[in-house]
Amino acid sequence: MEPQQTNFELELDDVSVVSMTQAAKWAKIIAIIFAVCCALGVLFGLFASTMIGTLMSQYGGAYGSMFSAMSGFIAVIILIVAAIAGVFIYLLLSFANNTSRAMLTKDPLSLEKGTGALKNYFLLGGIFAILGILFT
């Protein structure tokens, strides 16, 4: 039997480097688009919940104060969803930045960080997909 190597050196050929670089570029584009859409969704959601609370408190009659409090609850839910989306955005940008750096500088530590962030991105996505299936 041969002794196991503790320092595993991974070499990437030119095609793999180009593929990883393109994947990092697309991940960065998707993360930026996702961040912009998330920010617009938060702004629209907070504006809508404020407007609903104002209208219900004025025209809601006896239940106006209850609906007004419900708009605050909706705002909190929107912020929680935005925080979860922010984690996804962070992981995708971390993958893109670290992988791009690794392909330029041939740094295996950056590649490890980038692929680790991508692993966590897919792990978190899988967890939320399973929760979505269970609760529908």
Side-chain angles (χ1 to χ4, degrees):
M1 283 184 90
E2 294 180 33
Q4 289 184 336
Q5 292 179 337
T6 58
N7 188 7
F8 180 72
E9 187 68 30
L10 178 66
E11 293 183 20
L12 299 174
D13 60 350
D14 292 337
V15 175
S16 299
V17 170
V18 169
S19 295
M20 291 296 284
T21 304
Q22 287 178 347
K25 287 178 184 176
W26 278 109
K28 187 175 279 193
I29 290 170
I30 291 170
I32 290 170
I33 291 171
F34 191 35
V36 168
C37 290
C38 183
L40 290 174
V42 166
L43 288 176
F44 177 74
L46 293 177
F47 176 74
S49 70
T50 304
M51 292 303 295
I52 289 171
T54 304
L55 288 174
M56 287 308 226
S57 66
Q58 288 177 356
Y59 303 111
Y63 299 107
S65 62
M66 181 181 72
F67 287 122
S68 179
M70 191 180 298
S71 71
F73 179 72
I74 292 171
V76 169
I77 296 296
I78 290 171
L79 292 176
I80 290 172
V81 170
I84 292 170
V87 172
F88 277 101
I89 293 167
Y90 170 76
L91 290 172
L92 203 54
L93 276 176
S94 179
F95 162 72
N97 292 333
N98 285 318
T99 303
S100 294
R101 185 180 312 115
M103 294 301 112
L104 290 175
T105 63
K106 307 288 189 229
D107 180 22
L109 186 61
S110 293
L111 184 61
E112 182 182 337
K113 286 181 184 177
T115 53
L118 188 63
K119 178 196 73 145
N120 290 334
Y121 175 83
F122 283 122
L123 181 68
L124 193 60
I127 289 169
F128 279 105
I130 290 171
L131 289 175
I133 290 170
L134 290 176
F135 292 113
T136 56

